[in-house]
Amino acid sequence: MVSRVIPVEPFDLVIFGATGDLARRKILPGLFRRFASGQMPEEARIIGAARSAMDTDSFRQIIRDALQEFMPSSAKTPDLVDTFLERLAYVTVDAMGSAGWEELAGLVRKDVVNAFYFSVAPSLFGALAERLHSFGIAHDNTRIVVEKPFGHDLKTAQALNNSLAAHFTEKQIYRIDHYLGKETVQNLMAIRFGNMLFEPLWNAQFVDHIQITVAETVGVGGRGSYYDQSGAMRDMVQNHLMQLLCLIAMEPPSRFEPDAVRDEKLKVIRALDSVEPHHIVRGQYDAAEGVASYREDVDNPRSRTESFIAMRCQVSNWRWAGTPFYLRTGKRLSARASEIAVVFKETPHSIFQEGDGVSEHRNILTIRLQPNEGIEMGVTIKEPGPGGMRLVDVPLDMTFADALGPDVEDVPDAYERLIMDVIRGNQTLFMRGDEVEAAWAWTDPLIDSWTARHDVPKLYDQNSSGPVDASALIQRDGRRWRDIRT
Ligand code: BG6
């Protein structure tokens, strides 16, 4: 059922930070999968560039090990792995100096698509961009790919944007938010704009509220020092949840084209009201038996950084006036479960008697991002069998793996899809500079406000659904969170 793979144009992809965590875990395994699927053409080449002195053979060995570790299935196709690794080269490059740049310039072919993935700390973005120019490597059609964190606040994001804009046009810059590469996230646009069924109901008149949940079971792992400076608001809400909210709330773009889509998302961000302090709940996971607390994980006994946040947001425009958007995300929760739930209003009048079954008839459209990617529509029907008219709520479930068959496993993951989009020159699923800045402009005052109040996050139990105050946040409005479960 998965359609035929069409190879992209030949390319040279240079990955700065090629031996780092992201490159080994996501970028190279993703590229291998695209190679195995036939999407990466014969002539394509991947050039690793990093500070460590090593030759191409040692780099290939590192990537061979990474494929084994992060993509165990690659072990079943050793010949394919060998052929893939032949496409890899390595050059030692000093991002802040001049070593290695001439060699890199000699390696990159000018007659194929050129893309440069900055899988390095944002503090190096400016230096890399500058050297790509001064060493004559970049040209008008060069593409650069950058990763989050894209700034720590509006000011730093603007500085980053400026440092890239000094050397590249907006059309050359691909800012990755890997949530936009997730299959279901794109399906959200297909559902909304490919069907007549939903769009007429997609507004405050028919939608009671929307819940966006990204729940994780992992803690902060080895990223304590980064995370403690960021917290859930900067790490997840400013980017991933914001992007989900935009896709749900935006007006239909006139075309599925980069600027048409991004213009509409930008309007949503700009229409977001500031959030009152009593509509935000911040939490921090407590210690559990044999498991460290957040503060122990980040090695900061006085940390006031949130590992959980729940908030009630409002998009102030005609479509959404009066329909709250409840967002929540956190670490060490009871399940890894991410979903968007569009909760429709009750029917205006019930023709059925009390006691005929479910008392509250609401249609809920659930878009499950992970796991079990799929879309489910809750509808009310008559309970089958005798006994008169009794009502029951049932899901119309479209789990992609069931509906599309086993090939759905071959659907590209977020990173591989986005990298292929870079090669194709399609920016639709990448954030534009003004979008990122608008998101920070909304985020900054909220963070400033709780910092000024010396707000202390509420402790919550690990393996739970977050602090009790988060339940109160939505219950005050006569609503309740959906269960976090896989
Ligand atoms: C990253 C965050 O951007 O997204 C992490 O920095 C988070 O803290 C991760 O765990 C979640 O991504 P996914 O794809 O596993 O939901």
Side-chain angles (χ1 to χ4, degrees):
M1 178 99 191
V2 173
S3 53
R4 199 167 55 84
V5 171
I6 303 167
V8 293
E9 278 179 69
F11 62 85
D12 278 353
L13 171 67
V14 177
I15 305 173
F16 291 109
T19 51
D21 204 47
L22 182 72
R24 290 184 313 108
R25 258 174 210 280
K26 293 283 183 189
I27 305 175
L28 270 311
L31 284 163
F32 173 70
R33 272 169 50 100
R34 291 299 86 214
F35 173 73
S37 77
Q39 199 173 18
M40 190 172 138
E42 283 283 303
E43 309 88 318
R45 275 193 341 198
I46 299 161
I47 302 167
R51 214 172 17 189
S52 327
M54 73 174 111
D55 58 15
T56 289
D57 283 345
S58 317
F59 177 60
R60 288 180 179 162
Q61 187 56 46
I62 290 179
I63 302 309
R64 186 188 291 281
D65 295 345
L67 293 181
Q68 276 280 345
E69 186 177 349
F70 302 113
M71 256 198 85
S73 60
S74 65
K76 292 189 206 120
T77 49
D79 292 350
L80 214 53
V81 172
D82 287 344
T83 330
F84 173 72
L85 293 177
E86 279 165 23
R87 274 146 193 81
L88 266 53
Y90 182 81
V91 44
T92 307
V93 166
D94 178 3
M96 303 299 286
S98 57
W101 287 94
E102 298 285 1
E103 192 188 341
L104 183 62
L107 273 180
V108 178
R109 297 168 295 174
K110 290 265 173 9
D111 56 346
V112 296
V113 171
N114 287 175
F116 296 84
Y117 200 126
F118 293 6
S119 182
V120 294
S123 54
L124 297 178
F125 288 0
L128 292 178
E130 192 273 316
R131 280 161 181 74
L132 284 175
H133 268 272
S134 57
F135 284 90
I137 303 171
H139 48 83
D140 287 353
N141 198 20
T142 297
R143 294 153 204 179
I144 58 167
V145 186
V146 293
E147 269 287 333
K148 71 177 273 261
F150 200 83
H152 183 73
D153 51 22
L154 177 59
K155 220 168 121 206
T156 47
Q158 282 170 333
L160 272 182
N161 274 339
N162 292 341
S163 68
L164 296 179
H167 305 285
F168 294 96
T169 64
E170 187 60 39
K171 291 244 173 309
Q172 296 179 281
I173 305 171
Y174 291 72
R175 293 178 196 77
I176 287 201
D177 181 313
H178 78 279
Y179 266 57
L180 288 178
K182 289 186 190 269
E183 182 70 13
T184 333
V185 174
Q186 291 175 68
N187 232 314
L188 179 53
M189 284 188 275
I191 287 274
R192 277 194 68 188
F193 306 127
N195 295 287
M196 192 55 213
L197 201 58
F198 299 108
E199 203 47 31
L201 306 179
W202 210 263
N203 56 53
Q205 197 186 341
F206 298 100
V207 176
D208 179 72
H209 73 280
I210 287 162
Q211 296 188 19
I212 302 179
T213 300
V214 178
E216 299 186 277
T217 49
V218 291
V220 293
R223 303 159 69 225
S225 55
Y226 151 76
Y227 194 91
D228 205 36
Q229 297 297 315
S230 302
M233 184 70 167
R234 289 189 169 98
D235 186 52
M236 296 293 287
V237 177
Q238 185 272 346
N239 37 77
H240 305 324
L241 276 81
M242 174 73 82
Q243 290 295 324
L244 299 180
L245 187 152
C246 284
L247 296 179
I248 286 279
M250 71 184 185
E251 295 302 313
S254 54
R255 289 173 197 283
F256 189 60
E257 280 178 359
D259 281 334
V261 172
R262 298 185 301 177
D263 285 348
E264 295 308 333
K265 288 198 293 166
L266 181 62
K267 286 184 208 159
V268 173
I269 305 175
R270 291 191 172 148
L272 269 174
D273 282 349
S274 183
V275 186
E276 297 291 325
H278 65 282
H279 285 147
I280 302 181
V281 174
R282 299 166 63 240
Q284 224 182 44
Y285 57 82
D286 204 352
E289 218 180 298
V291 194
S293 67
Y294 172 82
R295 289 178 175 189
E296 287 161 342
D297 273 349
V298 299
D299 199 15
N300 178 2
R302 299 157 95 83
S303 173
R304 288 185 173 166
T305 303
E306 74 286 352
S307 59
F308 173 99
I309 190 162
M311 57 206 303
R312 179 195 146 129
C313 304
Q314 184 65 54
V315 180
S316 271
N317 60 20
W318 272 50
R319 185 185 281 265
W320 295 117
T323 298
F325 286 70
Y326 298 96
L327 314 185
R328 85 186 143 152
T329 181
K331 301 211 179 273
R332 286 255 194 266
L333 298 179
S334 54
R336 178 172 190 251
S338 301
E339 63 163 44
I340 302 168
V342 180
V343 182
F344 289 90
K345 291 188 172 169
E346 284 181 66
T347 50
H349 163 74
S350 175
I351 63 168
F352 305 105
Q353 306 290 319
E354 288 271 325
D356 277 347
V358 277
S359 52
E360 201 189 60
H361 306 294
R362 283 185 194 279
N363 298 114
I364 303 181
L365 177 72
T366 313
I367 299 130
R368 285 193 309 267
L369 268 59
Q370 57 204 22
N372 311 325
E373 300 185 331
I375 291 175
E376 183 181 300
M377 181 78 210
V379 290
T380 301
I381 59 163
K382 176 190 168 298
E383 194 173 284
M389 182 58 117
R390 286 194 317 275
L391 303 181
V392 61
D393 278 345
V394 294
L396 291 179
D397 188 356
M398 200 186 85
T399 300
F400 297 153
D402 296 344
L404 302 177
D407 281 353
V408 77
E409 297 300 329
D410 293 334
V411 168
D413 102 337
Y415 275 96
E416 32 188 297
R417 179 193 316 278
L418 293 173
I419 296 170
M420 289 300 112
D421 276 358
V422 173
I423 306 300
R424 278 190 286 253
N426 186 342
Q427 288 187 306
T428 310
L429 299 175
F430 296 83
M431 293 178 301
R432 215 168 48 192
D434 51 3
E435 255 184 274
V436 176
E437 290 184 14
W440 280 121
W442 176 78
T443 311
D444 278 359
L446 307 183
I447 298 177
D448 290 347
S449 146
W450 71 60
T451 311
R453 289 196 311 274
H454 305 292
D455 184 69
V456 180
K458 307 277 186 263
L459 288 180
Y460 61 92
D461 290 338
Q462 300 199 17
N463 207 15
S464 73
S465 53
V468 276
D469 293 41
S471 309
L473 168 82
I474 188 166
Q475 278 164 7
R476 280 202 299 268
D477 297 342
R479 304 180 173 108
R480 65 181 196 86
W481 291 111
R482 290 166 54 76
D483 291 340
I484 295 179
R485 62 191 145 102
T486 47

